[in-house]
Amino acid sequence: MKKIKTALISVSDKNNLKPVLEILKKYQIKIISSGGTYKEIKKLKFNCLEVSDFTDSPEILEGRVKTLHPKIHAGILNKRNNKTHLNDLKKNNFENIDLVIVNFYPFEKTLETTNNHKKIIENIDVGGPTMVRSAAKNYNDVTVITSSNQYQELIDEMNKNNGATSLNFREKLSRTAFTETAYYDSVISSYFNKKTNIHLPDKKIFSANLIEKLRYGENPHQFSGYYSKNLKTNLKQIHGKQLSYNNYNDIFSALTISKSLPKNKGTVIVKHANPCGVSINSNPIDSYKSALACDPISAFGGIVSCNFKIKKNLAVELNKLFLEVIIANGFDNDSLRLLKNKKNLRIIDATNYSISEITKFNSSNEAILIQSEDLKIFKNEDFKVVSKRKPSPKMLKNLIFAFNVCRYVKSNAIVLAKDESIVGIGSGQPSRLDSCEIAINKMRKFNLFGDNLIAASDAFFPFVDGIEKLVQSGVQAVIQPSGSIRDKEIIKFANETDTILVFSKTRHFRH
């Protein structure tokens, strides 16, 4: 046990200070503070010694130097049972500081409110993290608090131990403190990398907040958690049981597609992180029914993401199918009343969910692969019609829609579409020809073949056999990336069969 006799408090978050000050007063603990914290403590009518009076050294450099003083750090860092340390303190007339309560300048909040670099720089805390690191290093003798969320723990610990803290308690707080300083520095590092357009620095630091501990991972023997750069998720669960790792994986896959579709249009159905139906029909009911028709068997137990607000008439249709999750940009009251009848159905409001500047991570055996997300916004100039037969504006729009969906299907990927709805998907095959066959068979299985049938491929056809199979199934137009040594053979085949062929300037694998 270590008795607390002197505490140093310097906090940006001044909420809930009073209960801590009361416990310090109860055990007659001397309080040192500075700046706004000192004023707040005095305002709350508690005794406090200002740092500049404690150190006999005024604040300088417009407040940049306040707590960076040997008396502060010697008081925190000295080993209480080390004779040399004790002699140094006695020689310099320094005293122990047993409790450090510090939280940092709100750097993340500053980034949210301004782009002014000078203002951002001034919100990089130096003294706070330095004191926290000192206290955390010397946890054998010093207690360190870095968040108002820990105040009650401190109060309970001190009441339990008559104004003292246990070694286990201090060690636990030390771990948290080092995590806090590392996180804070990682946010600053990320800011400077972003500012200077450094996407792959020599040392990459990741920072995220735990949003939720999940029951388990993909399987029950795997542990799992949901982390985010934000302090809270921008997905709002309205109803249903706790989301699982697999649910979140499917939700993010569905939303990545949904948010790439035209504003307030589109229904996406996902199963095992792969789309099994997509439609951008402007009528919500028709959009859902068209997406479902693509593969109603796979849709069972899947996730539906609507890029619009759900109303009662659509809720009636959704209720006819067993679904794990329904996502939308809001729900009206009638639809919620209806959907909530299924107690386990997860209902997610994604109104505030947006996708921007995402970095994707893939890890294996302590190695991490990093890349930017494929968020390219397609424009007509990104494509080139290379066949003699030209698509109408409507067909070109349909081709680009299919190509957009295709990039979110596991490679090798083939997508068949007509009238702005997907009618067949072949995914995840080592052979592109196999993906063609799967997409065609899916289309035939659910009787979706007909006029205006088009196909999209996430990468070029290495041989004519793939596009030949598609044309034989009734496909009238194909969109694919260029780049094969056999591009001329593909173009020749398209012209010989009067097939429209459009080349993309970019490839879109998704592994």
Side-chain angles (χ1 to χ4, degrees):
M1 293 294 169
K2 292 290 181 179
K3 199 85 171 176
I4 296 172
K5 296 180 180 178
T6 302
L8 191 154
I9 306 176
S10 179
V11 291
S12 290
D13 174 12
K14 297 174 180 60
N15 293 317
N16 303 320
L17 263 180
K18 190 174 181 180
V20 175
L21 297 172
E22 286 173 343
I23 196 76
L24 298 181
K25 182 179 179 181
K26 176 182 176 180
Y27 292 105
Q28 299 180 337
I29 295 167
K30 178 180 177 181
I31 301 173
I32 307 164
S33 190
S34 66
T37 308
Y38 172 79
K39 291 176 184 176
E40 180 67 16
I41 293 171
K42 298 298 285 185
K43 181 181 173 183
L44 292 169
K45 302 191 184 312
F46 289 88
N47 291 329
C48 182
L49 181 65
E50 198 160 11
V51 163
S52 56
D53 293 329
F54 176 75
T55 60
D56 197 27
S57 177
E59 291 183 12
I60 59 173
L61 307 182
E62 299 177 309
R64 279 190 169 197
V65 177
K66 290 181 284 194
T67 58
L68 296 170
H69 192 281
K71 191 169 184 178
I72 296 289
H73 288 279
I76 296 171
L77 274 167
N78 79 88
K79 296 178 183 178
R80 273 49 168 180
N81 60 355
N82 183 298
K83 288 183 179 179
T84 302
H85 288 201
L86 292 175
N87 287 335
D88 283 343
L89 257 67
K90 188 175 181 180
K91 188 193 308 179
N92 289 283
N93 196 26
F94 291 168
E95 60 186 87
N96 291 336
I97 295 173
D98 313 299
L99 170 64
V100 172
I101 301 177
V102 170
N103 52 61
F104 310 145
Y105 295 167
F107 186 77
E108 283 180 292
K109 287 184 179 178
T110 302
L111 294 181
E112 292 172 5
T113 57
T114 184
N115 292 320
N116 186 311
H117 183 63
K118 289 183 178 180
K119 188 173 182 180
I120 289 169
I121 291 296
E122 291 308 314
N123 276 276
I124 295 176
D125 201 333
V126 176
T130 306
M131 286 188 290
V132 165
R133 287 177 63 83
S134 295
K137 176 177 180 175
N138 202 26
Y139 72 86
N140 189 67
D141 297 305
V142 180
T143 304
V144 58
I145 298 291
T146 52
S147 168
S148 58
N149 295 331
Q150 299 169 321
Y151 288 172
Q152 191 57 50
E153 279 186 272
L154 175 66
I155 292 166
D156 293 343
E157 177 79 1
M158 291 178 68
N159 278 328
K160 177 182 173 183
N161 300 303
N162 195 31
T165 61
S166 66
L167 180 60
N168 285 342
F169 180 72
R170 294 193 300 277
E171 186 175 32
K172 182 182 79 167
L173 294 176
S174 174
R175 174 188 61 80
T176 304
F178 279 121
T179 301
E180 197 68 27
T181 56
Y183 178 87
Y184 193 74
D185 284 340
S186 74
V187 175
I188 298 168
S189 172
S190 295
Y191 165 72
F192 276 99
N193 284 330
K194 182 178 178 181
K195 184 179 184 298
T196 53
N197 292 315
I198 304 297
H199 302 294
L200 298 171
D202 291 339
K203 293 184 178 179
K204 182 71 175 174
I205 306 167
F206 309 100
S207 55
N209 298 280
L210 179 64
I211 302 299
E212 185 180 0
K213 288 182 180 179
L214 305 178
R215 287 178 296 164
Y216 50 78
E218 286 180 290
N219 301 291
H221 62 279
Q222 296 169 266
F223 66 83
S224 177
Y226 170 23
Y227 284 81
S228 173
K229 280 190 171 184
N230 302 310
L231 291 172
K232 59 182 180 179
T233 177
N234 45 12
L235 296 173
K236 182 181 179 183
Q237 183 171 356
I238 299 171
H239 177 73
K241 61 183 180 180
Q242 184 187 14
L243 292 163
S244 69
Y245 176 94
N246 291 332
N247 289 151
Y248 273 118
N249 201 30
D250 285 347
I251 286 168
F252 295 140
S253 295
L255 284 169
T256 302
I257 304 173
S258 283
K259 298 301 182 179
S260 75
L261 302 177
K263 188 176 181 181
N264 296 321
K265 284 177 68 175
T267 303
V268 178
I269 304 177
V270 163
K271 188 72 169 289
H272 299 311
N274 252 328
C276 58
V278 184
S279 174
I280 55 171
N281 192 301
S282 56
N283 180 285
I285 299 288
D286 291 341
S287 175
Y288 167 67
K289 287 183 175 180
S290 295
L292 179 62
C294 179
D295 192 345
I297 294 176
S298 295
F300 183 85
I303 285 180
V304 172
S305 177
C306 298
N307 196 32
F308 49 81
K309 188 174 184 177
I310 289 181
K311 298 182 179 179
K312 183 181 178 181
N313 55 353
L314 179 53
V316 170
E317 294 299 323
L318 290 165
N319 245 2
K320 294 176 181 177
L321 182 67
F322 168 66
L323 296 166
E324 288 279 353
V325 183
I326 296 174
I327 312 165
N329 296 339
F331 300 79
D332 71 12
N333 292 332
D334 290 336
S335 68
L336 277 180
R337 273 193 292 269
L338 190 59
L339 294 172
K340 283 182 177 181
N341 286 329
K342 294 185 176 182
K343 67 176 184 178
N344 290 330
L345 174 66
R346 289 95 161 176
I347 301 174
I348 308 293
D349 187 338
T351 303
N352 297 322
Y353 187 89
S354 60
I355 297 174
S356 61
E357 298 183 36
I358 292 177
T359 302
K360 292 193 67 173
F361 305 103
N362 187 13
S363 63
S364 179
N365 195 31
E366 297 188 355
I368 301 172
L369 293 172
I370 301 175
Q371 67 171 344
S372 57
E373 176 60 284
D374 185 359
L375 299 176
K376 180 177 174 59
I377 298 171
F378 293 132
K379 300 175 183 176
N380 285 1
E381 53 263 35
D382 295 321
F383 304 94
K384 182 181 180 181
V385 180
V386 293
S387 58
K388 291 179 180 177
R389 185 180 168 195
K390 309 302 179 187
S392 65
K394 183 178 179 180
M395 180 170 277
L396 181 60
K397 184 181 177 184
N398 201 28
L399 283 162
I400 295 174
F401 157 70
F403 193 65
N404 179 58
V405 172
C406 192
R407 65 169 158 168
Y408 298 118
V409 176
K410 297 292 184 181
S411 301
N412 286 316
I414 297 292
V415 165
L416 303 180
K418 66 177 183 179
D419 303 326
E420 297 186 325
S421 296
I422 305 304
V423 296
I425 298 174
S427 63
Q429 301 305 305
S431 163
R432 191 162 300 279
L433 186 61
D434 287 344
S435 291
C436 290
E437 289 177 348
I438 291 170
I440 292 165
N441 290 339
K442 289 273 189 182
M443 174 186 68
R444 287 174 174 165
K445 182 175 183 177
F446 302 112
N447 298 311
L448 297 175
F449 46 85
D451 296 335
N452 303 316
L453 183 64
I454 62 102
S457 174
D458 62 345
F460 59 68
F461 287 101
F463 303 100
V464 173
D465 55 0
I467 190 171
E468 182 178 26
K469 186 168 284 292
L470 293 173
V471 171
Q472 287 171 350
S473 72
V475 167
Q476 297 179 26
V478 175
I479 187 167
Q480 64 151 88
S482 59
S484 169
I485 59 173
R486 293 184 175 84
D487 277 351
K488 290 182 179 179
E489 293 178 36
I490 304 294
I491 295 170
K492 181 182 177 185
F493 174 82
N495 288 332
E496 289 173 349
T497 56
D498 198 30
T499 302
I500 295 168
L501 183 60
V502 178
F503 277 175
S504 163
K505 296 176 183 178
T506 52
R507 188 190 70 189
H508 296 277
F509 276 143
R510 196 171 191 86
H511 289 110

